Amino acid sequence: MMTCIQQDVLSNYDPMTEEQNMKTSPKQTIVSSGCIHVGALTSGVCTALEVLDLTMGCISTSMLVYLGIAITPYQNKQTVSKVKSAWEECSQALVESMDVMHRKEMARIQRRIMDGVAPYTRYVKTEKERVEGLMRLCDDCQLVAHSTLYALCQDRRIGMTY
């Protein structure tokens, strides 16, 4: 039994799209890194041919090489964080929907249990009310008995006999 939220979450997940995204990101990283390395190579050739000043050529070539090397871990980290956040969102939505299902099921079970014991609860309640009524009647009888006994004792003190 799936809820609408679960169906929505699971229907939005497409393994083919996920696989394509996972393949595209490394390709983009390789192309970006390659283009930067081509720029570094061009800068190095220009420096070697003395088109660029030696200092500026070395600096630009070094910067481009390090940038080309650094872009791969950076883009890999971005890809991992994107995938991780997507999975966390999916997981959170599924956990929330399971929680809602759990609460509904627990309420349904509790309602069934209460409906099942309702006749016994009513019986106990009526018996309790009957016993309480009998206890009040006994208390009243005891009160009358005590007051009668007290009256008799009072009459004997005065000297009246029956």
Side-chain angles (χ1 to χ4, degrees), residues 5-152:
I5 296 171
Q6 290 170 329
Q7 288 174 347
D8 185 45
V9 167
L10 295 176
S11 69
N12 287 341
Y13 176 73
D14 182 20
M16 299 303 280
T17 306
E18 190 74 26
E19 181 181 349
Q20 191 63 26
N21 288 341
M22 293 303 287
K23 287 180 181 177
T24 304
S25 181
K27 286 179 186 176
Q28 289 174 341
T29 302
I30 290 169
V31 169
S32 300
S33 179
C35 289
I36 293 173
H37 282 310
V38 168
L41 185 63
T42 304
S43 176
V45 169
C46 288
T47 304
L49 296 176
E50 295 184 359
V51 173
L52 286 176
D53 180 44
L54 182 64
T55 307
M56 291 304 293
C58 287
I59 290 173
S60 66
T61 302
S62 299
M63 295 281 287
L64 288 171
V65 167
Y66 289 129
L67 182 63
I69 291 171
I71 199 165
T72 303
Y74 174 75
Q75 287 188 345
N76 287 345
K77 189 175 182 180
Q78 279 187 325
T79 302
V80 167
S81 68
K82 266 196 283 185
V83 169
K84 195 173 187 179
S85 68
W87 275 103
E88 286 174 357
E89 287 174 15
C90 183
S91 174
Q92 184 65 28
L94 288 173
V95 165
E96 287 173 6
S97 70
M98 293 298 283
D99 189 43
V100 167
M101 278 178 50
H102 177 262
R103 277 191 255 122
K104 283 181 182 177
E105 191 64 20
M106 288 302 291
R108 186 184 68 78
I109 290 170
Q110 184 179 13
R111 195 170 42 252
R112 284 184 64 199
I113 290 171
M114 295 307 286
D115 290 345
V117 298
Y120 305 106
T121 306
R122 284 191 301 271
Y123 172 76
V124 168
K125 184 180 174 186
T126 56
E127 286 299 307
K128 182 180 175 186
E129 289 171 357
R130 188 177 70 82
V131 168
E132 286 174 352
L134 289 173
M135 292 296 288
R136 281 192 300 273
L137 184 61
C138 285
D139 288 343
D140 291 344
C141 289
Q142 189 177 14
L143 185 63
V144 168
H146 282 294
S147 56
T148 304
L149 182 63
Y150 180 74
L152 283 173

